[in-house]
Each structure stands twice: as structure tokens, then as C-alpha cells.
């Protein structure tokens, strides 16, 4: 993407600054696509793509190279913002510290629960493979208890989609939140705790939506009461997350919580 075009888009008043920093990246289901610069950028790039495979591949590598050039140009700047000297001998020490922070973040109770949830979902999905048949009247839908309408199937598929979408994202967002909170406590970095709360809020919303999706599944398939393990894990995770990030719910995500504008 041409940097001038990027600047032009960044100045476009249609877009809410930073809205994409605290969303769930599920653009297909997003209600703010018309206000999101990231979305517009992605669509522009897609519409410029050639239908030929070679041209598509060339565009892919060119884009990656452009990203590389832009990143190298920005690297020193970002490092300076983060108070890291890339040429300094202390850089190795910074890397070690970063690794320690990462390990601490991963070992937080909520991170461990979120990781466990990933496994619980995986196991549940494996053991219920074929829960929804490919055909609307497939025999695999025999346990819909007489409620097997097309709408039901669409709803069930939606629920599975929701569960799949947030299955890993919850863990990723919580680890990001934990990392930010650790750094906020140990370093004097402005806005770090607030950013951590923002990530925790995205995780909380993913947890709540997943619980609702599981509840709907259970309603359709009362025989599959083992879904309760996934819901129970999420409920515990919600409690742990709210305890660790008491200000997360109050965080106002640009656009989503600010009524389409910014504060
Ligand atoms: S704000 Fe919406 S459109 Fe933009 S990146 Fe996030 S999910 Fe996608």
C-alpha cells in the first residue's frame, strides 16, 4: 500500500481512530466496517488483486516486501518509543526480560484456564464431529428433538462459528492483557494498564458470547450435557479475568463503546 494513500485514509473523518485495536477482528460480523480504516485498506487491496495466480503471488510478495521496508523504517522509531536500544549490549537483557514477562503472563491463573478451555473445546468438537450434517435433513441431526428446522441449523452453525472464533482468541487477548499489566506494574509506561484493560475487555466479550453460544447449543442438544464443562470453564475464566482486571468492563473501546465517535 502506497504510504501516501495510507496517510490519506488515516485523515479520512469517516474512520474512527484506533477502532481496530480493541475489536475481535471478526470483520464479517462487525457492525463498524464502514468506520474502520483497516477494513477499508483490506478491501482496497482485495479489489486491486489480479485473478491470475502468478499475479496474485507477485502481489503477495511485493506487499510483504513493502511491509518489510516500512517496518525497517519504523523499527528504530518504535524501539525508541519502547525505550529499547537495538544496538546496545543490553538488548539481550531486554530479550530475556521480555521472555520472563511472557512466561509470567502465560502462568497467570486466567491464562491457564483459557488454555484449558482451548483443549476442552477441541475435545468436545472432536467427540461431536458430525453433530450437524451437511444436508438440512441429514440423519446426523436426529437428536434435534424434533426442532430441526433450517433456522435451527443456521443457529447451531452460527454458535459453532462463534465458539471457534473465540476459542483461541480469548487466550491471546488475555496473554496480551497480562503482559501489559505486568509491564505497567514494573515499568513506567503511560497507558499500558489502560491498554491491558482494553485487551481484557475484548476477552471478556469473547467469553460472554461463547457462553451464550454454548447455552444455545445445549438448548438444541440437551443430550450433550458435556457442553457444561466448556461453560463451566468459561464461567470460571470470567470470574478470574474480572478479578485480575477490575477496570476492564469500564474501558471504552473506540467506536464500540463511544457511540460511533471518539472521546
Ligand atoms: S473494527 Fe470491525 S472491521 Fe475493523 S478490524 Fe475490527 S472487526 Fe474488522
Amino acid at each position: 500500500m502506497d504510504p501516501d494513500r495510507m496517510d490519506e485514509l488515516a485523515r479520512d473523518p469517516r474512520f474512527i481512530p484506533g477502532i481496530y485495536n480493541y475489536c475481535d477482528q471478526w470483520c464479517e460480523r462487525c457492525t463498524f466496517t464502514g468506520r474502520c480504516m483497516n477494513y477499508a485498506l483490506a478491501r482496497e487491496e482485495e479489489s486491486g488483486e489480479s485473478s491470475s495466480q502468478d499475479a496474485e503471488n507477485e502481489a503477495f510478495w511485493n506487499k510483504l516486501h513493502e511491509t518489510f521496508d516500512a517496518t525497517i523504517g519504523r523499527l528504530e522509531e518504535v524501539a525508541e518509543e519502547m525505550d529499547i536500544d537495538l544496538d546496545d549490549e543490553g538488548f539481550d537483557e531486554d530479550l530475556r526480560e521480555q521472555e520472563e514477562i511472557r512466561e509470567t503472563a502465560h502462568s497467570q491463573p486466567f491464562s491457564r484456564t483459557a488454555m484449558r478451555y482451548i483443549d476442552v473445546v477441541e475435545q468436545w468438537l472432536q467427540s461431536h464431529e458430525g453433530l450437524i450434517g451437511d444436508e438440512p435433513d441429514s440423519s446426523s441431526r436426529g437428536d434435534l428433538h424434533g426442532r430441526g428446522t433450517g433456522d435451527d441449523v443456521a443457529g447451531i452453525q452460527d454458535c459453532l462459528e462463534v465458539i471457534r472464533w473465540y476459542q483461541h482468541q480469548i487466550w491471546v487477548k488475555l496473554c496480551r492483557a497480562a503482559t501489559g499489566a505486568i509491564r505497567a506494574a514494573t515499568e513506567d509506561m503511560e497507558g499500558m494498564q489502560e491498554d491491558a484493560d482494553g485487551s481484557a475487555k475484548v476477552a471478556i466479550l469473547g467469553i460472554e458470547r461463547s457462553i451464550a453460544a454454548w447455552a444455545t447449543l445445549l438448548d438444541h442438544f440437551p443430550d450433550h450435557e458435556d457442553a457444561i464443562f466448556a461453560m463451566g470453564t468459561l464461567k470460571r475464566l470470567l470470574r478470574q479475568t474480572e478479578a485480575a482486571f477490575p477496570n476492564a468492563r469500564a474501558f471504552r473501546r473506540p467506536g464500540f463503546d463511544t457511540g460511533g465517535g471518539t472521546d
Side-chain angles (χ1 to χ4, degrees):
M1 168 68 60
D2 173 1
D4 290 343
R5 178 66 185 137
M6 290 266 283
D7 287 347
E8 195 184 325
L9 283 175
R11 285 194 303 272
D12 190 324
R14 265 183 312 155
F15 301 132
I16 299 171
I19 187 171
Y20 41 78
N21 287 333
Y22 301 103
C23 68
D24 60 11
Q25 306 291 318
W26 201 351
C27 303
E28 272 175 50
R29 302 262 178 172
C30 184
T31 54
F32 276 88
T33 54
R35 309 290 313 274
C36 176
M37 189 181 84
N38 262 10
Y39 185 83
L41 273 172
R43 292 297 82 78
E44 277 193 12
E45 283 173 12
E46 265 177 29
S47 64
E49 276 176 9
S50 162
S51 57
S52 117
Q53 186 64 40
D54 284 356
E56 271 182 37
N57 289 342
E58 190 180 352
F60 169 79
W61 291 115
N62 285 345
K63 182 171 175 287
L64 201 63
H65 194 71
E66 274 176 33
T67 306
F68 168 77
D69 282 343
T71 306
I72 286 295
R74 277 270 297 145
L75 186 57
E76 293 284 338
E77 218 175 302
V78 173
E80 202 179 315
E81 279 165 21
M82 294 178 71
D83 204 21
I84 295 171
D85 184 348
L86 298 174
D87 299 320
D88 191 85
E89 284 182 3
F91 184 55
D92 284 346
E93 183 58 27
D94 289 339
L95 278 179
R96 250 192 313 278
E97 270 174 30
Q98 186 58 30
E99 182 59 23
E100 276 172 26
I101 290 174
R102 198 181 68 88
E103 280 172 14
T104 309
H106 288 189
S107 67
Q108 297 303 303
F110 52 81
S111 303
R112 291 205 305 268
T113 306
M115 183 52 80
R116 197 170 316 129
Y117 173 68
I118 292 174
D119 290 341
V120 169
V121 175
E122 217 47 60
Q123 282 165 22
W124 193 90
L125 290 172
Q126 273 172 23
S127 59
H128 295 83
E129 223 172 327
L131 187 66
I132 312 291
D134 292 336
E135 299 301 325
D137 59 352
S138 155
S139 59
S140 61
R141 290 175 54 230
D143 49 0
L144 270 171
H145 296 264
R147 289 176 291 170
T149 66
D151 281 353
D152 283 335
V153 174
I156 291 159
Q157 282 166 343
D158 282 345
C159 288
L160 291 171
E161 229 184 292
V162 168
I163 289 165
R164 273 291 192 204
W165 188 265
Y166 294 111
Q167 179 188 1
H168 293 85
Q169 190 185 87
I170 293 168
W171 179 80
V172 171
K173 293 289 176 188
L174 285 176
C175 288
R176 186 174 191 277
T179 303
I182 294 164
R183 298 193 73 176
T186 54
E187 303 163 24
D188 189 20
M189 291 186 74
E190 204 185 332
M192 193 54 90
Q193 182 59 52
E194 206 189 349
D195 181 66
D197 288 336
S199 295
K201 179 162 187 172
V202 178
I204 285 172
L205 294 174
I207 294 169
E208 290 180 340
R209 288 175 177 179
S210 301
I211 290 175
W214 280 112
T216 309
L217 276 188
L218 199 53
D219 187 41
H220 281 297
F221 301 101
D223 295 344
H224 296 282
E225 70 277 355
D226 52 350
I228 208 77
F229 292 116
M231 292 170 75
T233 309
L234 284 173
K235 195 157 176 278
R236 173 187 294 183
L237 183 55
L238 189 58
R239 244 189 351 259
Q240 290 173 329
T241 305
E242 287 179 324
F245 299 94
N247 298 318
R249 280 194 189 274
F251 180 87
R252 286 164 67 77
R253 296 164 303 153
F256 297 102
D257 299 320
T258 58
T262 49
D263 290 337

